[in-house]
Amino acid sequence: MNSRNKKAQLDFYRDWCLTVIRFLIAAEPPSEENERFLAQSEKTIIKAYNDGNLVGFKYAYNDYNSDAKALLNAEQFAELDLDLRSRLGTGLKGAERKRQKEIAHILKRGSVRDEDEYRLLLDHAEEIHADRSRGEELKAVNLLLKAGLAKGG
C-alpha cells in the first residue's frame, strides 16, 4: 500500500472513530466516568493515528460500529448515520452493508483467510447466536471459526 493511500485510510478511520465515540458519549448522561472514557478513547485514537496502526483502527471501527448498533435507538442511529455521511461520505448503514457482503463472501468461499476475517465472523456469530431463525447460518459460521482456530486463525 502506498503512503498516500495509507494516510487516507488513517484519516478516514481517525475521523470515523472520533465521530462515533463522541456521539456515543454525548448520548449518555454526563458523568465524570464518561468524560474520562472519552478522553482516554480520544488519546488512544490519536496514538493509533500517529503510529499508523491500521489494524488497530479496523478493530476499533468495527467495535464502535457494533456499539452504535447496540446502544443507540433508531433516531440516534439515524442521526449518527447522517453525521458520518455528511463528514465522510458514508455512514453506518453503508458500513453494515459492506460488512454483510464481506461475511457472505467468506461464507460462500468456505474458508477464513486471515485474522480480520476470523474476527469479522466471530463478531457476526455473537450477533446472531440468539436468533433461532439463523441457526443454519450460525452453524456455517461456527464451522469456519473452528477451522480457522485449527489452522491458527
Side-chain angles (χ1 to χ4, degrees):
M1 168 185 326
N2 69 40
S3 62
R4 189 180 327 198
N5 188 18
K6 183 174 182 179
K7 172 135 176 32
Q9 286 186 23
L10 288 167
D11 290 345
F12 173 83
Y13 285 122
R14 177 201 58 207
D15 295 346
W16 182 282
C17 290
L18 287 171
T19 300
V20 173
I21 193 64
R22 288 172 179 159
F23 190 95
L24 290 173
I25 293 297
E28 293 291 316
S31 71
E32 284 184 31
E33 181 181 346
N34 284 346
E35 290 302 317
R36 281 192 304 273
F37 181 75
L38 177 60
Q40 182 59 46
S41 296
E42 288 176 336
K43 187 191 273 185
T44 301
I45 290 166
I46 298 305
K47 181 174 179 358
Y49 179 80
N50 290 337
D51 291 348
N53 185 354
L54 274 176
V55 171
F57 263 136
K58 288 178 183 178
Y59 290 148
Y61 169 86
N62 289 326
D63 289 346
Y64 288 149
N65 291 351
S66 293
D67 290 346
K69 189 174 168 183
L71 299 174
L72 299 176
N73 63 39
E75 185 179 317
Q76 292 168 319
F77 188 89
E79 183 181 343
L80 177 56
D81 183 64
L82 180 62
D83 188 19
L84 288 165
R85 282 187 287 129
S86 69
R87 289 174 191 254
L88 300 168
T90 189
L92 292 165
K93 292 176 186 175
E96 181 60 18
R97 279 190 300 275
K98 181 180 176 196
R99 190 177 84 82
Q100 290 300 325
K101 279 184 180 178
E102 290 172 5
I103 291 166
H105 182 74
I106 296 165
L107 290 170
K108 184 177 180 181
R109 185 177 63 233
S111 65
V112 177
R113 290 187 176 162
D114 57 31
E115 186 178 333
D116 290 341
E117 289 185 355
Y118 183 86
R119 184 147 193 248
L120 182 64
L121 286 182
L122 185 61
D123 290 344
H124 185 61
E126 289 174 6
E127 286 177 15
I128 67 171
H129 81 277
D131 185 347
R132 291 178 185 250
S133 69
R134 298 178 84 176
E136 289 303 312
E137 180 183 2
L138 183 59
K139 284 180 188 176
V141 169
N142 283 333
L143 283 172
L144 291 177
L145 289 170
K146 187 176 179 181
L149 273 178
K151 74 174 197 174

